[in-house]
Amino acid sequence: MSVLTLENVAKKIGSRLIVENLEMTVEPGEVYGFLGPNGAGKTTTIRMIVGLAKPTRGSIKVMGHDVQHDRRAALASIGTIVENPETYKYLTGRENLVHYARLAGLDAGRRNQRIDEVVDFVGLTGRIDEKVKRYSLGMRQRLGVGQALLAKPKLLVLDEPTNGLDPSGMREFRELMRRLADDGMSVFVSSHLLGEIQMMCDRVAILKGGRIIAEERVADLIENASGGVRIAVQDTEAAMSALAAQSISAHSDSAAGSAIRVMVKRDEVPNVIRQLVAADVDIYGVEQGRDSLEDMFLQLTDDGAASAVAAGEESRNG
Ligand SMILES: Nc1ncnc2c1ncn2[C@@H]1O[C@H](COP(=O)(O)OP(=O)(O)OP(=O)(O)O)[C@@H](O)[C@H]1O
Ligand SMILES: [Mg+2]
């Protein structure tokens, strides 16, 4: 059974349609990325998944339970850090966890053992009896995850959890998510950073302007993205218009001689070449494109200039 299912979900606020036609499924043991530029609708979607906002249309199910109609059962399987992790800074990490374990209804007999387990899991064992105000942002974030794990949820839902973390904090966080997934939990995590999602997730949905424009395994995304080709031709204008006539988009790439760049999947390359030959375009060479995952994300989201800069920085750091 899928851990999370969204079917035709839409959210309207006032007269504005914020997200629409959302279709996603998250399977057991997978880290699922929800990638999109600022304002795409990630937080709006996550608020609906964790029961903080009501979908205008469609259904959201967690472990088969509808978040609207079977709320208690659905939410019992979700662990989340909503907005900023709510921690009491003047209490120790452990005191915070005790507080949340009580709220989560863990019985007193099991509470301490479960707290020790999550503390160990998120790597805070040596520091858990210090006051939270002395924690770094990364430690606070991990404490938040620990809190979300107390009731052994099937699905962890996190909205841009790596925002503000430095590269080593990001790496620790990624490793933590991977270990959770290896343990059989599913993670639904949003980000506007392509590099983050690429390193952390098994699958990704790309959201743009409130719609999912792609949902793929990250490995396929990378393979397909690197399937873009650079084709050396004499007459780039003729080549591009021949392809445009077939609705294949291409752009001029004259970094080293005259050529076009065509962002297609590998299995579409032969057709591109056939179209060029049919249009009498002389081909001087065909090369596999590189650096193209970022190109592809940009092309998909189009207006994602800021995200691309951030993704580039992160991949250099990581
Ligand atoms: N309560 C609201 N009333 C009106 N518009 C809203 C409301 N909440 C969100 N929006 C709008 O919906 C769109 C999506 O917002 P949302 O916060 O879901 O995006 P996001 O993908 O989380 O962006 P970011 O990366 O900046 O966090 C934005 O244009 C936002 O202005
Ligand atoms: Mg947001």
Side-chain angles (χ1 to χ4, degrees):
M1 192 209 305
S2 298
V3 174
L4 175 69
T5 312
L6 275 75
E7 272 173 16
N8 195 24
V9 170
K11 176 73 179 174
K12 216 171 172 182
I13 299 182
S15 61
R16 238 191 104 195
L17 198 50
I18 310 284
V19 294
E20 63 177 327
N21 284 338
L22 301 183
E23 301 271 346
M24 289 186 270
T25 52
V26 177
E27 304 303 331
E30 84 174 337
V31 182
Y32 189 98
F34 194 40
L35 179 65
N38 293 133
K42 303 181 294 295
T43 299
T44 303
T45 305
I46 285 180
R47 288 174 55 81
M48 292 190 283
I49 294 172
V50 303
L52 289 173
K54 203 172 154 235
T56 309
R57 189 169 57 238
S59 82
I60 301 176
K61 290 187 181 138
V62 183
M63 301 300 290
H65 301 289
D66 192 297
V67 175
Q68 288 304 300
H69 304 115
D70 197 0
R71 184 184 170 85
R72 183 187 284 264
L75 298 188
S77 298
I78 295 189
T80 186
I81 305 177
V82 181
E83 257 85 89
N84 288 312
E86 269 298 317
T87 44
Y88 299 99
K89 293 203 174 79
Y90 291 91
L91 298 181
T92 65
R94 187 186 304 278
E95 287 162 347
N96 270 281
L97 291 178
V98 169
H99 169 72
Y100 283 104
R102 283 198 188 115
L103 282 187
L106 264 68
D107 64 86
R110 271 186 351 107
R111 212 182 281 152
N112 290 341
Q113 187 197 338
R114 183 60 188 152
I115 288 173
D116 286 342
E117 279 168 17
V118 303
V119 168
D120 179 50
F121 201 91
V122 300
L124 284 174
T125 301
R127 309 285 302 271
I128 197 63
D129 291 308
E130 285 178 34
K131 287 200 167 46
V132 170
K133 66 177 177 179
R134 288 172 53 189
Y135 283 11
S136 69
L137 183 64
M139 290 167 67
R140 270 177 222 178
Q141 195 62 287
R142 282 184 281 142
L143 182 65
V145 173
Q147 173 200 317
L149 294 178
L150 283 169
K152 298 195 178 172
K154 294 279 190 294
L155 173 69
L156 189 62
V157 179
L158 302 170
D159 191 11
E160 308 231 21
T162 56
N163 269 4
L165 297 187
D166 64 17
S168 88
M170 282 190 180
R171 171 170 302 138
E172 283 173 6
F173 196 84
R174 281 199 299 273
E175 288 168 359
L176 177 55
M177 294 303 109
R178 291 265 34 124
R179 278 191 287 127
L180 284 172
D182 292 346
D183 251 29
M185 188 177 298
S186 305
V187 182
F188 183 93
V189 56
S190 75
S191 177
H192 62 278
L193 299 176
L194 172 66
E196 261 312 285
I197 293 287
Q198 192 184 337
M199 285 184 275
M200 184 160 49
C201 299
D202 301 301
R203 280 198 305 146
V204 60
I206 301 178
L207 189 71
K208 180 196 176 185
R211 283 170 159 272
I212 293 173
I213 53 175
E215 187 199 41
E216 276 190 89
R217 288 185 22 186
V218 171
D220 291 341
L221 193 68
I222 292 169
E223 192 195 309
N224 291 340
S226 61
V229 286
R230 183 176 187 276
I231 304 174
V233 293
Q234 192 78 52
D235 188 345
T236 55
E237 291 295 320
M240 287 192 291
S241 67
L243 295 179
Q246 303 296 321
S247 306
I248 299 168
S249 82
H251 56 272
S252 158
D253 175 3
S254 301
S258 129
I260 59 167
R261 174 86 80 127
V262 192
M263 297 302 295
V264 290
K265 294 179 181 178
R266 183 184 156 78
D267 59 4
E268 292 165 35
V269 173
N271 181 47
V272 168
I273 306 226
R274 258 194 304 275
Q275 297 302 337
L276 291 175
V277 171
D280 238 356
V281 173
D282 290 333
I283 296 171
Y284 294 82
V286 180
E287 274 173 69
Q288 195 77 19
R290 271 157 291 156
D291 74 346
S292 41
L293 188 55
E294 200 172 308
D295 275 3
M296 179 154 141
F297 179 56
L298 272 182
Q299 204 178 45
L300 285 170
T301 59
D302 216 15
D303 46 356
S307 311
V309 171
E313 267 167 22
E314 174 39 22
S315 56
R316 277 195 294 281
N317 290 335

